[in-house]
Amino acid sequence: MRLICFWKHNLTQKGGRSLPLFLSRTQVIYHIDPSLLIFEITETAALDNLPGTRSLLRDLKQLGCGFVLDDFGVGFSSFYYLRELPVDAVKIDGTFIRNLANNPDDQILVSALCTVAKGFGKKITAEFVESKEILDILDRMDIDFAQGYYIGTPVPAENFFPDQTD
């Protein structure tokens, strides 16, 4: 299992369309491998403008960036977005992860969500990983990425790109 961090950016805001240009400049200035940039998109954000979201994701994927469908498993629409958006991974909602060590029902649900995501060829991220016990369970479930306070605390984007302004 790889332990990584994600950069949250509201891709549906007006500034979202300028993101490909910002990233192109940032990659040149900082020599960043674009495959290391992974953006999250929530189902709610995708629902606001599905055609626009799909177009923006394709533009950013052409740069080499990756995408995670956040809050995966919360509603049945998750499966629709999994099929319709060019995402690389899903992030299983923390409500299923938080009590994973003590809740057999959550273990069954997470296992089922993993089967669906892997069936679509997607990587899987678990959020709210807050103990070694949960991390060990996720490792046995073959989860690809982990995110949460056990892994590390959030850091502002400015720490990574101090000379850039939005």
Side-chain angles (χ1 to χ4, degrees):
M1 178 183 318
R2 289 177 35 190
L3 309 178
I4 61 170
C5 64
F6 292 85
W7 180 13
K8 274 201 167 187
H9 180 86
N10 188 340
L11 297 174
T12 60
Q13 289 178 336
K14 288 182 181 179
R17 291 302 314 163
S18 65
L19 190 58
L21 178 61
F22 167 78
L23 288 176
S24 294
R25 286 190 314 231
T26 302
Q27 288 171 334
V28 170
I29 293 169
Y30 293 101
H31 309 287
I32 296 172
D33 177 357
S35 69
L36 297 176
L37 297 176
I38 301 172
F39 293 90
E40 298 176 354
I41 183 134
T42 64
E43 291 182 19
T44 304
L47 184 60
D48 286 344
N49 180 4
L50 186 58
T53 299
R54 185 183 296 125
S55 175
L56 179 59
L57 266 60
R58 286 187 181 136
D59 289 349
L60 292 171
K61 283 183 74 67
Q62 286 179 345
L63 292 175
C65 301
F67 289 92
V68 174
L69 182 60
D70 197 6
D71 300 332
F72 184 67
V74 173
F76 284 106
S77 60
S78 294
F79 302 121
Y80 174 77
Y81 293 120
L82 184 62
R83 186 185 70 197
E84 295 299 317
L85 293 172
V87 297
D88 304 291
V90 298
K91 184 174 2 170
I92 297 175
D93 190 73
T95 57
F96 302 119
I97 303 299
R98 187 175 281 132
N99 297 311
L100 193 64
N102 303 314
N103 189 329
D105 291 342
D106 284 343
Q107 292 175 20
I108 292 167
L109 287 168
V110 170
S111 178
L113 292 171
C114 289
T115 299
V116 170
K118 293 280 184 185
F120 278 92
K122 308 300 182 186
K123 298 285 187 184
I124 303 166
T125 301
E127 65 180 355
F128 285 88
V129 177
E130 300 188 0
S131 72
K132 181 176 181 349
E133 188 176 12
I134 291 173
L135 185 63
D136 289 344
I137 292 169
L138 295 170
D139 193 39
R140 288 192 299 272
M141 289 183 168
D142 201 26
I143 303 288
D144 300 292
F145 307 107
Q147 181 183 28
Y149 284 111
Y150 181 74
I151 308 305
T153 57
V155 178
E158 295 80 38
N159 289 12
F160 294 101
F161 309 111
D163 299 333
Q164 297 290 311
T165 57
D166 215 1

